[in-house]
Amino acid sequence: MTFHRAEAIVNLDAIASNIAILKKRAGVPILAVVKADAYGHGLIPVARTAVDVGAQWLGVALLEEAIALRENKITVPTIAWLVPPGSDFASAINSDIDLGVASLEIFKEIIHASKSLGKRARIHIEVDTGMTRGGFLTEWESFLELLSKESEHIEVVGLFSHFARADEPGQPQNALQLKRFTEMSDDLNRIGIEPEIHHLSNSAATLVDASAHFDLVRTGIAMYGLTPDFGNLGSSQSLGLIPAMTLRAKLHVVKDVLAGTPVGYGALASTISDTKLGVVVMGYADGIPRIAQGAGVFFDGKRAPIIGRVSMDQFVVDLGATSLAKGGDWVTIFGAGSEGEYTADDWGRASLSINYEIVTRIASRVPRIYEQASTLGVL
Ligand SMILES: *Cc1c(COP(=O)(O)O)cnc(C)c1O
């Protein structure tokens, strides 16, 4: 019995099983990407599960995410790679958090913090091989110069980069990024720096491009059982992955409505026949995209599509004239898809977006409920 009106149910065994599959595919250690509250699944429970099943590294975007891991006594090597100038580098160094270095300015601040603490920062040098976000590009030569001078003050643990199109196997940009990565690695070696760990692959490259695995792969979306790209790489199921999150909410009201009745803000849609409508207690403030059209909910073995525009706290679905649904019943918004329910991929398509955005935007006011069989150790 629960009084919740909505829940994101997270199956930690699914995450464990996905990591086991990715480990097998990778053949090298796994860095579990747990940024953005573990893609909306919950930072600490997911990080603990990942470490329990053998992820040797954790990766986050923000320093505060890494610090939250340390505060919860999670001590495996952890990288924070989105640390702009002005970040609390001293705390990072004191908490043994590895830092991504994406520019000269960031590097200078890290060196400064290392010197004032008398403790060497552990860094991963980010190179821009074609993504054109963070990472060294035009500053590369000056960085190498400064690194040669200051190398005694820091520990260069890793060299990394990020693919822009790994979800498009065979795309020439992937081969080009791989080549640049190797060249920039050679540049480092030439000044006498040989990082322990080279890492380039995200989930898509982990699944489809063994030539890019190097010493470590950084897997995010696939850990959560979602496909990096439904169109190019196939469904979760075809990849052997189990979607970990099921999102469900209660119906607030169920009512009979005549054909031709307009529904919701702007009267975007009208009923086409006499039917039963259900009001779902979740809206865009919970992370349901306002523009979603073509997804819906699953109840009693049947899909009930959205009708009208999604509101802030609620949306309306067409349950069909013969539905037995009533107020207070649970409906599934998305799940693994194995019973016919909509998936995060369906919601992504319905919102001109992707599964990544659907799961990461589930709001904090939606409680996360964890499911985990005691058999975890068997995986
Ligand atoms: C988010 C992120 C990843 C994980 O990407 P997925 O496509 O979710 O596997 C890997 N590396 C970096 C640098 C990232 O920012």
Side-chain angles (χ1 to χ4, degrees), residues 31 33 35 39 60-61 81-82 126 133 160-163 199-206 217-224 228 356:
L31 175 147
V33 181
K35 63 189 178 187
Y39 289 43
V60 290
W81 52 66
L82 208 71
E126 183 181 6
R133 263 182 352 192
F160 78 106
S161 189
H162 193 56
F163 280 120
H199 45 108
L200 177 59
S201 289
N202 56 5
S203 293
T206 300
V217 293
R218 306 184 305 265
T219 54
I221 198 76
M223 260 178 61
Y224 304 98
Y356 289 75

Side-chain angles (χ1 to χ4, degrees), residues 89 93 99 101 103-121 123 143 146-156:
F89 293 114
I93 297 167
L99 294 164
V101 175
S103 75
L104 260 184
E105 202 183 347
I106 294 167
F107 184 57
K108 286 176 185 163
E109 290 198 14
I110 292 174
I111 292 285
H112 181 78
S114 288
K115 286 179 179 169
S116 33
L117 290 172
K119 181 176 174 187
R120 293 162 83 199
I123 65 164
F143 169 72
L146 188 60
L147 179 62
S148 298
K149 271 192 238 143
E150 303 281 10
S151 61
E152 70 194 271
H153 301 293
I154 40 110
E155 190 177 340
V156 180

Side-chain angles (χ1 to χ4, degrees), residues 2 4-7 248-251 298-299 328-332:
T2 168
H4 295 152
R5 54 87 207 193
E7 294 176 339
R248 66 176 192 162
K250 281 181 178 165
L251 293 172
F298 192 70
F299 177 80
D329 283 343
W330 286 107
V331 294
T332 303

Side-chain angles (χ1 to χ4, degrees), residues 17-350:
S17 151
N18 297 328
I19 292 174
I21 282 169
L22 290 165
K23 261 176 80 177
K24 217 175 282 171
R25 286 272 192 125
V28 296
I30 298 261
L31 175 147
V33 181
V34 292
K35 63 189 178 187
D37 201 26
Y39 289 43
H41 295 64
L43 176 66
I44 301 304
V46 170
R48 289 210 174 105
T49 301
V51 171
D52 280 352
V53 297
Q56 295 177 27
W57 285 77
L58 295 173
V60 290
L62 310 182
L63 189 49
E64 51 266 43
E65 297 173 323
I67 287 172
L69 291 168
R70 293 293 184 257
E71 285 171 351
N72 283 274
K73 311 258 182 299
I74 297 170
T75 56
V76 298
T78 300
I79 314 176
W81 52 66
L82 208 71
V83 283
S87 294
D88 185 357
F89 293 114
S91 290
I93 297 167
N94 278 329
S95 308
D96 297 313
I97 293 163
D98 291 20
L99 294 164
V101 175
S103 75
L104 260 184
E105 202 183 347
I106 294 167
F107 184 57
K108 286 176 185 163
E109 290 198 14
I110 292 174
I111 292 285
H112 181 78
S114 288
K115 286 179 179 169
S116 33
L117 290 172
K119 181 176 174 187
R120 293 162 83 199
R122 290 167 49 93
I123 65 164
H124 296 247
I125 300 164
E126 183 181 6
V127 288
D128 180 2
T129 55
M131 177 69 172
T132 321
R133 263 182 352 192
F136 291 101
L137 184 65
T138 44
E139 289 181 330
W140 184 232
E141 293 302 327
S142 7
F143 169 72
L144 291 175
E145 239 169 77
L146 188 60
L147 179 62
S148 298
K149 271 192 238 143
E150 303 281 10
S151 61
E152 70 194 271
H153 301 293
I154 40 110
E155 190 177 340
V156 180
V157 180
L159 176 74
F160 78 106
S161 189
H162 193 56
F163 280 120
R165 308 184 70 173
D167 54 354
E168 299 170 76
Q171 227 298 323
Q173 185 170 336
N174 294 324
L176 193 62
Q177 286 198 243
L178 189 59
K179 180 165 163 279
R180 286 198 189 140
F181 188 64
T182 310
E183 287 165 359
M184 292 173 102
S185 168
D186 291 344
D187 291 342
L188 263 187
N189 296 350
R190 224 168 286 129
I191 63 161
I193 307 253
E194 297 201 19
E196 236 173 277
I197 298 163
H198 301 75
H199 45 108
L200 177 59
S201 289
N202 56 5
S203 293
T206 300
L207 290 166
V208 300
D209 187 0
S211 69
H213 290 177
F214 293 94
D215 309 308
L216 181 73
V217 293
R218 306 184 305 265
T219 54
I221 198 76
M223 260 178 61
Y224 304 98
L226 300 175
T227 175
D229 187 304
F230 189 91
N232 293 326
L233 302 184
S235 65
S236 298
Q237 203 182 8
S238 71
L239 294 167
L241 302 170
I242 309 168
M245 186 191 286
T246 299
L247 185 67
R248 66 176 192 162
K250 281 181 178 165
L251 293 172
H252 180 216
V253 167
V254 173
K255 63 169 75 170
D256 291 299
V257 172
L258 294 176
T261 307
V263 181
Y265 287 119
L268 189 69
S270 297
T271 52
I272 50 170
S273 53
D274 295 359
T275 191
K276 270 196 176 112
L277 297 184
V279 180
V280 182
V281 195
M282 254 204 154
Y284 60 75
D286 298 296
I288 302 295
R290 180 171 178 273
I291 62 161
Q293 290 292 317
V297 303
F298 192 70
F299 177 80
D300 198 15
K302 256 185 29 203
R303 287 182 168 197
I306 298 178
I307 178 166
R309 205 164 258 154
V310 172
S311 303
M312 186 183 295
D313 313 291
Q314 48 192 311
F315 64 95
V316 179
V317 294
D318 188 345
L319 291 160
T322 59
S323 176
L324 301 176
K326 52 191 191 323
D329 283 343
W330 286 107
V331 294
T332 303
I333 295 171
F334 63 77
S338 46
E339 272 145 50
E341 71 273 32
Y342 292 98
T343 62
D345 283 298
D346 291 327
W347 276 92
R349 269 190 301 275

